Amino acid sequence: MEATLWTPLLCLLSLMAIFTSTRGGGDPLDLNGNITLRWDVMSWTPDGYVALVNIANYQQYRTVMEPGWRLQWTWARKEVIWSTVGARPLHRGDCSSFKGNMPASCMRSPTIVDLTADVPLTDQIAGCCKGGVLLTQLQDARKSTAEFQIAVGNAGTTKKTVQMPKNYTLTVPGGRYSCSTAKIVRPTQFLSPDRRRITQALMTWQVVCRHTPPRGYKPPCCVSLSSDRGLKIPCGTCACNCKPSDARSCAPKSPVQCTNHMCPVSINWHLLSRSKGSVRWFEVSISNLNRRANYTDWILMIQHPVAQKFASADTNYWSLPPKLGSMEVVWGIKHYSRGLGPLGSGRSTAKFEISYEGSPGKWNFSSNVFFNGDRCANPPLPR
Ligand SMILES: *[C@@H]1O[C@H](CO)[C@@H](O)[C@H](O)[C@H]1NC(C)=O
Ligand SMILES: *[C@@H]1O[C@H](CO)[C@@H](O)[C@H](O)[C@H]1NC(C)=O
Ligand SMILES: *[C@@H]1O[C@H](CO)[C@@H](O)[C@H](O)[C@H]1NC(C)=O
Ligand SMILES: *[C@@H]1O[C@H](CO)[C@@H](O)[C@H](O)[C@H]1NC(C)=O
């Protein structure tokens, strides 16, 4: 009985493994997914301009987690950053040619990092200071964007003479985004706080960045299976980050708990015995096994190849359009099923129940699971 319940799943996993290994760059499950940078020039200054920079996460199930994004570009000429509000340049660089007023950065390729919410109000602007974290719009539209202001000197002071920065790159923990060249777009319009007046940027350019999986991808999570009837398929040995022969990867100093898979996050699908006929019920448990990482704002994308009825308890959920099979996105509700805090915080596990319906015999289970956008290692197939 047990075997027949799981057999389709096991076949499926092997099929999906073949499918995913042929994946190239970008994300075939989220074709338009991108992070868009928008620069709105708000005023000209004697030697340059002041711009509002907006960073918006338009990916359906990928977030940017702590310690957050870093934005870099290369100036077209010899521009400098006089000041920033709501973010800051990482390095000052060589400002030796300046007397008196000192720019915040003279780097030819400056790197900007976000501030945290606890900086003084004078260093903040509306929409800023989120510690570099970008959630998805589904989780929280306000937390899916970042905003900062930048005063640029040694730059053009008109639409004709200003030069857009080149070679934008966005780096995030465990990965990077490749960005398009800047393109001039229609000036952004702004509604005044009293909503009675519309102003517009003097000039706007836009850059579209797409996630680029790193070479030698290491999954940050693994999937295991179990059931009320005693079935157990644990995460694969060294599914994330070790060599079976390498005992050092299990050093006591490692922030990730020592396990045979060394994954910072593990996800267990537990088949409940109340599953009957065509309906399969699972309890899904997500465990944070990292003592330092905080995944409170987790988001899970579950991909399964046939449209099946999906039910859930204790979570939000949302279905992606069924382009490549059908997919479900699940994330935690505040103060309820969230709580994927660091290991040892007492709240390092999140649980929810989910059911699928399919015609008996043709039933199959989700094939791939993505945690915060990254694909998890599937359970190993028994021989
Ligand atoms: C999954 O279900 C679909 C539709 O019922 C079926 O065509 C397919 O063969 C199944 N896959 C596996 C591996 O059982
Ligand atoms: C970036 O995402 C937005 C929002 O989904 C979409 O409208 C736009 O077409 C995307 N851009 C590209 C170049 O894919
Ligand atoms: C673009 O940026 C990348 C990463 O910062 C850097 O390695 C590369 O040299 C830059 N290219 C140019 C043409 O500036
Ligand atoms: C984890 O992050 C959440 C949201 O950012 C925060 O409220 C919580 O205090 C953090 N927990 C720990 C243990 O750092």
Side-chain angles (χ1 to χ4, degrees):
M1 184 61 190
E2 189 79 21
T4 55
L5 280 178
W6 286 105
T7 306
L9 154 66
L10 299 174
C11 304
L12 192 62
L13 286 171
S14 52
L15 285 179
M16 296 318 292
I18 294 164
F19 165 70
T20 46
S21 64
T22 57
R23 263 178 66 186
D27 187 343
L29 303 178
D30 187 7
L31 291 170
N32 285 325
N34 67 71
I35 292 185
T36 299
L37 316 175
R38 199 183 69 220
W39 284 48
D40 291 311
V41 176
M42 303 306 287
S43 58
W44 302 113
T45 58
D47 73 336
Y49 58 90
V50 174
L52 262 185
V53 179
N54 178 283
I55 303 176
N57 182 11
Y58 291 121
Q59 299 172 107
Q60 306 204 67
Y61 58 89
R62 181 180 289 281
T63 56
V64 176
M65 297 312 284
E66 284 166 1
W69 53 263
R70 288 180 169 204
L71 177 60
Q72 194 182 57
W73 62 83
T74 302
W75 291 116
R77 287 183 301 214
K78 294 209 178 277
E79 290 88 339
V80 294
I81 300 174
W82 279 118
S83 64
T84 53
V85 190
R88 68 164 160 247
L90 208 49
H91 307 103
R92 169 162 272 155
D94 179 7
C95 292
S96 60
S97 61
F98 287 83
K99 296 191 181 106
N101 266 355
M102 195 60 93
S105 176
C106 301
M107 298 288 290
R108 193 167 146 62
S109 299
T111 302
I112 304 291
V113 295
D114 200 2
L115 302 176
T116 48
D118 54 11
V119 298
L121 283 178
T122 48
D123 294 337
Q124 302 196 16
I125 60 163
C128 84
C129 310
K130 293 165 180 168
V133 171
L134 297 174
L135 302 188
T136 61
Q137 288 187 325
L138 285 172
Q139 287 167 292
D140 189 336
R142 277 180 311 143
K143 291 186 182 167
S144 71
T145 62
E147 196 107 32
F148 67 89
Q149 182 187 290
I150 184 168
V152 181
N154 268 353
T157 55
T158 65
K159 257 164 109 163
K160 293 240 167 66
T161 55
V162 73
Q163 300 240 346
M164 296 181 289
K166 297 185 190 323
N167 198 19
Y168 283 94
T169 30
L170 192 64
T171 47
V172 298
R176 57 182 287 273
Y177 287 72
S178 6
C179 300
S180 68
T181 55
K183 205 174 105 193
I184 293 174
V185 295
R186 270 206 7 228
T188 306
Q189 299 202 322
F190 298 92
L191 195 59
S192 69
D194 65 3
R195 309 180 68 85
R196 284 159 187 257
R197 188 174 138 76
I198 292 171
T199 55
Q200 72 174 44
L202 304 177
M203 180 180 185
T204 298
W205 61 82
Q206 201 173 286
V207 176
V208 176
C209 304
R210 279 180 203 287
H211 186 256
T212 314
R215 251 175 266 143
Y217 177 75
K218 283 182 184 160
C221 45
C222 62
V223 177
S224 59
L225 311 169
S226 60
S227 80
D228 278 348
R229 294 195 182 105
L231 179 110
K232 258 191 169 9
I233 303 180
C235 283
T237 301
C238 292
C240 293
N241 198 17
C242 57
K243 291 189 213 102
S245 58
D246 188 0
R248 277 171 310 163
S249 61
C250 230
K253 266 189 286 171
S254 154
V256 176
Q257 190 179 46
C258 280
T259 55
N260 72 318
H261 52 78
M262 286 311 287
C263 296
V265 171
S266 72
I267 302 173
N268 183 250
W269 289 74
H270 185 84
L271 181 64
L272 298 167
S273 54
R274 87 168 103 112
S275 301
K276 270 210 197 85
S278 60
V279 179
R280 296 288 177 276
W281 275 96
F282 294 94
E283 182 184 69
V284 181
S285 318
I286 313 174
S287 303
N288 183 356
L289 302 175
N290 189 327
R291 289 178 193 90
R292 300 211 191 110
N294 185 350
Y295 299 114
T296 292
D297 293 303
W298 59 272
I299 183 166
L300 207 63
M301 201 281 274
I302 302 159
Q303 180 198 19
H304 46 94
V306 281
Q308 285 154 319
K309 200 172 147 206
F310 173 89
S312 77
D314 311 353
T315 47
N316 286 313
Y317 74 91
W318 183 72
S319 300
L320 289 171
K323 285 225 182 72
L324 242 176
S326 89
M327 300 174 254
E328 304 288 348
V329 177
V330 185
W331 67 97
I333 296 173
K334 228 180 195 156
H335 312 307
Y336 198 46
S337 65
R338 298 213 300 185
L340 261 192
L343 181 68
S345 67
R347 299 197 55 192
S348 61
T349 304
K351 281 188 187 178
F352 62 93
E353 288 187 1
I354 180 172
S355 77
Y356 291 98
E357 193 171 344
S359 40
K362 284 191 185 164
W363 177 78
N364 40 53
F365 169 66
S366 77
S367 49
N368 279 308
V369 175
F370 296 73
F371 180 77
N372 290 343
D374 291 319
R375 188 168 54 82
C376 301
N378 279 327
L381 308 176
R383 259 168 254 154

